[in-house]
Structures are given as structure tokens and as C-alpha cells.
Amino acid sequence: MASVHYTCLMIMAPTQENVVSAGAILRSGGIVGMPTETVYGLAARYDDDGAVRKIFEAKGRPADNPLIVHVASVEQAKTMVKAELHMLMELLAAHLWPGPFTMVLDKADHVSDLVSAGLPTVAVRMPNHPVALRLIEECGSPVAAPSANTSGTPSPTTAEHVIEDLGKDVFILDGGSCLIGIESTVALVTADGLTILRPGVVTAETLAQITGLPVSSNANADQRIASPGTRYRHYAPRTPMKLVETAGEVRSALAMVEQKVMVLARTDVWPEFPGLLMGSLTEHDLYAELRRADDLHVACIVVLCDGVLKGQLALMNRLRKAAGEDNDEEAGT
Ligand code: TXA
Ligand code: MG
């Protein structure tokens, strides 16, 4: 007799009923995959240490890498941080929330050391996605949520990517493909100025314009220590990556490899590489293309970082880290 296999895929349409179920899972100490405008997150109640531990376990995330607390209102965000910083937070929130901007601020005493990885600060963001906001409201409390990938791999930009990494048992609300495709800008916010810990689509210029405060980047090693997560290898496919600057260097790289290679480049320059397997090099497409290269078992991904691309700081940051060119140490997870 033919056997029938039922596969229990937990990718759920974001109907009111399913958002209510997801909220109930969170309230009872479970974890839920949620769409945001940047990448998918893996959410748990921020104030339930048992639930937060499940996030670290599911991702294989090092315990010294803190999580972002996602809120649905500025009022919720204010309860997470010290009162002295409320005005500055509200100013930034008025311009940038909901949106791809995460503020790291001195944390209120009740925020658990598990979420902040023992740091005196907490990262807070209001995502610009109706499903994420409804889920947080349904949960009745802010949620801690890192990107919903296995630690070290490219962040998920579809619900299917989440399943690939975390398996079929996670309840995921499907919001389709994420609009932005790379993670939020993370900035340390103090009364004296801001420090960008992770570049994103919100730029240093925008932050300086809004606040009138100096804005620096975490380029030097001392400041890097302030954001533990940036030490680890991130965003990396299994396939080796090689970053080059010219079409000529792409051809030399191809000549060295006999097996199938993917060339990742802006679509404008694709006509220069007829007959090759090409991948689209934009913020929106990057992580999906890195995962496609893994699925196709190509021998190498050659990335053309031309002059235009060099100006895209956030994209260049992800590429350098994915290629292993910009990591102080590797997580090995
Ligand atoms: O767009 C995003 O930010 C996505 C979506 C799901 O919201 N989330 C995300 O989370 O990228 P995650 O955990 O993959 O990256 C958070 C980054 C890490 O590099 C972490 O080290 C840093 O933010 N971070 C979190 N809390 C921090 C803190 N208190 N101080 C310094 N860095 C912090
Ligand atoms: Mg991440």
C-alpha cells in the first residue's frame, strides 16, 4: 500500500487567527519566526529568560552576543531604557520609527542580562512591518528577536530561508520577501553623540542631521568591543567567496577555477559576462543569492565590487564579513 507522507510545514499566512495563535505561543514561553522590513526575526518575550534561552539554542548563538528588543510603540521602548535618554530616543524615533534603525541605550534595571549579554545597554527597534507590529501587540510585551538564521549564515529574507536553517518545527508568520533585505543600522546613542556599530540603510549623515550630535563609526577596534556580535563571522554562505574590483579580475578568477562559479554583480554589468551564472548584487537580493549559490553547489562566488558598489557602505560591510575579510574571530557556530 502506498504510504502518504504529511509534511508539517509551519509557514503560516499572516491572518488574524494565525497572528493570535503566534501571540499565544509567545505568551506561553515559545518562539515565533516573524517578518520585518529588513530580515526575518526569531521572537520571544524579552522578559521570559526561558524563552530567550530557546532563541540562543535554536540559532547556536554565542551567549555574549546581545539581542535587539522589538517594540510596537515608543512608550514600550521608553520602559527599556534609562529616563535621561528618553528625549533623545523620542527625537530619533519621531524621524526613524517604525523603520530599519536600532538604538543601543543605557538599559533600565529590569532588562535581563540574558537579553543584553551582560552589557549595561539594550538595543531597541520598532520594525516597519504590520505583521511584526500586530504580533508584538498580540504578545502584550516587547519581543527579543535576532535574525532567524543559524548563527553565522546569511540572514533569512523569506520564510523558506528560516525553515532551511531552523527546521520545520518553528511557527513562522509569512510576510513574503523582506522589502529591504539587510539588517537595520545599529547605533550606540549617548548624550554626547552616536556611534554606528553596524551600518544599514539609515546613514551617519541622517543621524547627524536629526540629532545635531557627532556621529562616528565603529571602525576602530576599541569601539568594536562595544558590540560583541560584530566580532563573529556573519552572513557567510558555505561556498567560498572572493571579492574583486574589476571585470578583468573576475575573468582571472574564473580562469583559476574549473568548476561552476557564480558571479555576483550589479545587473547593469551582467552583459559583460555572457553565458555565466550571474547573481544580482543589491541589498534586497544579496542573502537570497548567497543561499542560491549554496543550493547550486557552485565552487566559488566571485563578487564584483566596482566603484558604484564601493559607495554602498552597508552592502560592502556585509560582503566583507561574508567573505571572511573583516572578522576579528570566528564564532564556529
Ligand atoms: O534588522 C535587524 O536588526 C534584524 C531584524 C530581525 O530586526 N535583527 C538583527 O538582529 O539583525 P541580530 O541579533 O542578528 O543582530 C543584532 C546586532 C548584533 O550585532 C548585536 O551584537 C548588536 O546588534 N547588539 C544588540 N544589542 C547590543 C548592545 N546592547 N550593545 C551593542 N550591540 C548590540
Ligand atoms: Mg544576525
Side-chain angles (χ1 to χ4, degrees):
M1 206 172 81
S3 66
V4 181
H5 289 283
Y6 293 102
T7 311
C8 175
L9 278 178
M10 297 279 260
I11 297 183
M12 311 302 285
T15 58
Q16 184 57 23
E17 196 188 351
N18 288 338
V19 175
V20 168
S21 302
I25 293 173
L26 292 176
R27 283 197 305 279
S28 64
I31 55 178
V32 168
M34 69 171 181
T36 82
E37 80 281 29
T38 56
V39 301
Y40 276 72
L42 186 62
R45 274 188 76 114
Y46 87 99
D47 56 355
D48 180 338
D49 277 1
V52 173
R53 270 194 204 96
K54 288 182 190 165
I55 293 180
F56 281 94
E57 277 162 26
K59 280 181 62 79
R61 185 176 176 104
D64 68 352
N65 193 0
L67 306 178
I68 298 174
V69 176
H70 292 65
V71 296
S73 69
V74 177
E75 285 314 305
Q76 278 185 338
K78 282 162 72 177
T79 66
M80 300 291 133
V81 308
K82 289 261 193 275
E84 302 86 86
L85 292 162
H86 283 185
M87 268 175 61
L88 188 50
M89 173 188 242
E90 281 179 284
L91 174 68
L92 284 159
H95 286 84
L96 298 171
W97 280 2
F101 178 58
T102 298
M103 303 184 215
V104 174
L105 303 133
D106 283 342
K107 71 173 186 175
D109 293 338
H110 67 91
V111 177
S112 127
D113 275 346
L114 201 59
V115 169
S116 69
L119 293 173
T121 51
V122 63
V124 191
R125 164 166 124 82
M126 191 194 299
N128 188 13
H129 198 294
V131 177
L133 295 172
R134 269 162 55 207
L135 178 64
I136 297 165
E137 273 158 18
E138 201 55 53
C139 172
S141 104
V143 298
S147 50
N149 53 301
T150 308
S151 199
T153 65
S155 294
T157 55
T158 65
E160 288 76 17
H161 294 164
V162 180
I163 294 266
E164 265 168 37
D165 274 23
L166 303 183
K168 297 192 175 90
D169 296 334
V170 181
F171 189 103
I172 304 163
L173 289 168
D174 190 357
S177 164
C178 298
L179 211 59
I180 294 179
I182 60 165
E183 307 82 355
S184 62
T185 302
V186 178
L188 178 66
V189 176
T190 73
D192 300 328
L194 281 70
T195 306
I196 294 187
L197 305 174
R198 180 177 71 186
V201 295
V202 174
T203 63
E205 292 71 35
T206 301
L207 296 174
Q209 261 170 17
I210 293 171
T211 60
L213 292 169
V215 180
S216 58
S217 93
N218 69 337
N220 77 56
D222 281 354
Q223 284 169 334
R224 227 181 262 194
I225 290 163
S227 190
T230 57
R231 288 207 312 272
Y232 296 112
R233 185 154 191 215
H234 269 314
Y235 325 119
R238 290 187 301 276
T239 313
M241 286 172 70
K242 185 174 171 57
L243 308 190
V244 300
E245 295 183 2
T246 63
E249 284 177 86
V250 172
R251 287 189 197 94
S252 321
L254 292 175
M256 317 254 299
V257 187
E258 280 171 17
Q259 295 127 296
K260 189 159 62 168
V261 168
M262 177 185 276
V263 177
L264 211 48
R266 292 184 301 109
T267 49
D268 293 12
V269 298
W270 280 17
E272 293 184 42
F273 306 102
L276 292 179
L277 173 64
M278 302 300 295
S280 158
L281 190 46
T282 62
E283 284 161 354
H284 178 268
D285 296 339
L286 175 68
Y287 293 141
E289 294 291 33
L290 297 183
R291 284 172 182 268
R292 185 163 71 100
D294 280 349
D295 292 345
L296 293 172
H297 299 288
V298 303
C300 177
I301 306 167
V302 180
V303 189
L304 176 52
C305 304
D306 60 13
V308 176
L309 213 74
K310 285 262 170 69
Q312 298 189 39
L313 295 185
L315 191 53
M316 283 306 303
N317 165 270
R318 304 309 190 272
L319 286 168
R320 289 205 180 96
K321 284 187 176 281
E325 288 187 4
D326 186 24
N327 301 292
D328 294 352
E329 69 187 52
E330 303 220 347
T333 54

